[in-house]
């Protein structure tokens, strides 16, 4: 059995609503996994069950060979060894950064507490802010304080439930990269749940894609990108253009080659949007049922004009259950 072993979890809140269906995952000590799925796919339910805060219908969770008891089996629900962090971090508004981080260590030896708080302040790059109040910090720094507080009692497992949703992209990228190094340094086992595949891939290479409470695909980012199992998985990763007169065949915007001379497939440019790396074209392609998304890296094509598109045959994705469209 792995360090964190999630075995055949089933959960439904009402008769027809399956939040989790036979969910199993084996996680080694110190590993970081991302669980990625659209809203309502069962991610938060899973984390609450792993944390011992929700009663599952079936299945078991073990950490270090100890069975996690659910609120029906344990008087005080939850475990100090398993810390769950949300988007809303609920810091103590009138306590300083250092006090917030040290709060769970109230009953610990004073010297240990000071040392642990200082270590976390250093790791999280918050030492200069130790005496500030939460409202004097940026959103990303506040989230770091919340994570520091969760890490203060040296938990075995950290569960992150969409912790970056309220942050802007620039703060988010920097924070995720920073946290990844800290988690590795502390050898803490982490489950990150998110609907954002970019966040997941910035944090870890281990992806578990879930839909309607079931695992659709597990693997490295490369495996999932190169061979997405179905339309749902592929659509989490990138835009998809549906090939005309083909069933369940798609091409990614990045795999299209643009030409200004006749040949291949013809499209009329409905819109051109200036983005940092390219112009993003919306194209009405002959025979296609929906507009295509096309990346114009040369910025050579104008709104209202014509573009011809080609692609390598091996870039076509055959994606079953395209019905999810
Ligand atoms: P996610 O975190 O991926 O958005 P959730 O685990 O919150 O998904 O929800 C999974 C499903 O269970 C959804 O259909 C949601 O409506 C339902 N659900 C979640 N919590 C409850 C609850 N306390 N009571 C009833 N239904 C719930
Ligand atoms: Mg959720």
């Amino acid at each position: 059995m792995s360090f964190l072993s999630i075995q055949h979890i089933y959960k439904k809140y009402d008769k027809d609503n399956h939040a989790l269906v036979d969910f199993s995952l084996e996680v080694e000590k110190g590993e970081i996994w991302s669980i990625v799925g659209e809203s309502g796919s069962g991610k938060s339910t899973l984390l609450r069950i792993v944390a011992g805060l929700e009663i599952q219908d079936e299945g078991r969770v073990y950490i270090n060979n100890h069975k996690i008891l659910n609120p029906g089996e344990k008087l005080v629900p939850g475990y100090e060894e398993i810390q769950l962090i949300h988007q809303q971090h609920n810091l103590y508004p009138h306590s300083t950064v250092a006090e917030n981080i040290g709060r769970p260590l109230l009953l610990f030896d004073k010297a240990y507490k000071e040392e642990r708080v200082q270590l976390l302040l250093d790791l999280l790059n918050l030492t200069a802010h130790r005496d500030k109040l939460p409202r004097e910090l940026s959103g990303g720094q506040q989230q770091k304080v919340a994570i520091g507080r969760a890490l203060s009692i040296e938990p075995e497992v950290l569960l992150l439930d969409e912790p970056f949703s309220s942050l802007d992209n620039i703060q988010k990228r920097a924070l995720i990269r920073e946290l990844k190094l800290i988690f590795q340094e502390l050898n803490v086992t982490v489950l990150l749940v998110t609907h954002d595949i970019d966040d997941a891939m910035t944090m870890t290479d281990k992806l578990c894609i879930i839909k309607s409470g079931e695992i659709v695909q597990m693997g490295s980012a490369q495996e999932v990108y190169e061979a997405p199992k179905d339309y749902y998985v592929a659509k989490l990763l990138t835009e998809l253009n549906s090939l005309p007169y083909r069933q369940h065949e798609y091409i990614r915007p990045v795999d299209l080659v643009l030409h200004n001379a006749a040949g291949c497939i013809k499209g009329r440019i409905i819109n051109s949007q200036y983005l940092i790396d390219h112009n993003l074209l919306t194209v009405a392609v002959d025979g296609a049922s929906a507009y295509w998304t096309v990346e114009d890296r040369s910025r050579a094509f104008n709104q209202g004009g014509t573009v011809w598109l080609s692609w390598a045959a091996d870039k076509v994705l055959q994606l079953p259950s395209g019905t999810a469209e």
Side-chain angles (χ1 to χ4, degrees), residues 223-243:
E223 284 163 355
V224 174
Y225 183 80
E226 288 180 355
K229 206 153 164 196
D230 65 11
Y231 180 87
Y232 173 85
V233 174
K235 191 72 182 170
L236 282 174
L237 290 155
T238 64
E239 289 284 337
L240 296 172
N241 297 312
S242 180
L243 295 188

Side-chain angles (χ1 to χ4, degrees), residues 40 43-45 161-162 193:
K43 305 181 298 294
S44 296
T45 302
D161 192 347
E162 315 233 19
V193 314

Side-chain angles (χ1 to χ4, degrees), residues 306-318:
T306 298
V307 60
W308 278 268
L309 301 165
S310 68
W311 53 88
D314 65 354
K315 296 294 186 190
V316 172
L317 296 169
Q318 308 260 357

Side-chain angles (χ1 to χ4, degrees), residues 9 34-35 42 45 47 54 75 77 89 99 103 155 162 178 186 201 236 238 245 258 260 266 277 286 289 292 303 324:
I9 301 288
S34 283
I35 308 202
T45 302
L47 290 195
E54 181 88 66
L75 200 57
H89 26 64
E99 286 163 355
R103 187 78 174 233
E162 315 233 19
E178 199 179 350
L186 296 174
M201 285 165 66
L236 282 174
T238 64
Y245 316 118
L258 287 67
N260 52 21
K266 185 182 172 189
D277 294 334
D286 284 358
S289 53
W292 280 26
Q303 194 162 314

Side-chain angles (χ1 to χ4, degrees), residues 19-39:
L20 291 169
V21 183
D22 198 14
F23 187 100
S24 297
L25 184 66
E26 297 288 322
V27 180
E28 299 300 337
K29 172 90 183 142
E31 277 186 348
I32 305 177
W33 275 84
S34 283
I35 308 202
V36 190
E38 63 188 7
S39 176

Side-chain angles (χ1 to χ4, degrees), residues 195-243:
H195 63 274
D196 188 324
I197 193 92
D198 289 332
D199 288 2
M201 285 165 66
T202 308
M203 179 62 93
T204 178
D205 197 38
K206 294 183 165 42
L207 303 179
C208 171
I209 314 286
I210 96 168
K211 180 189 178 189
S212 307
E214 284 185 81
I215 296 179
V216 191
Q217 189 166 7
M218 268 197 283
S220 70
Q222 187 180 356
E223 284 163 355
V224 174
Y225 183 80
E226 288 180 355
K229 206 153 164 196
D230 65 11
Y231 180 87
Y232 173 85
V233 174
K235 191 72 182 170
L236 282 174
L237 290 155
T238 64
E239 289 284 337
L240 296 172
N241 297 312
S242 180
L243 295 188

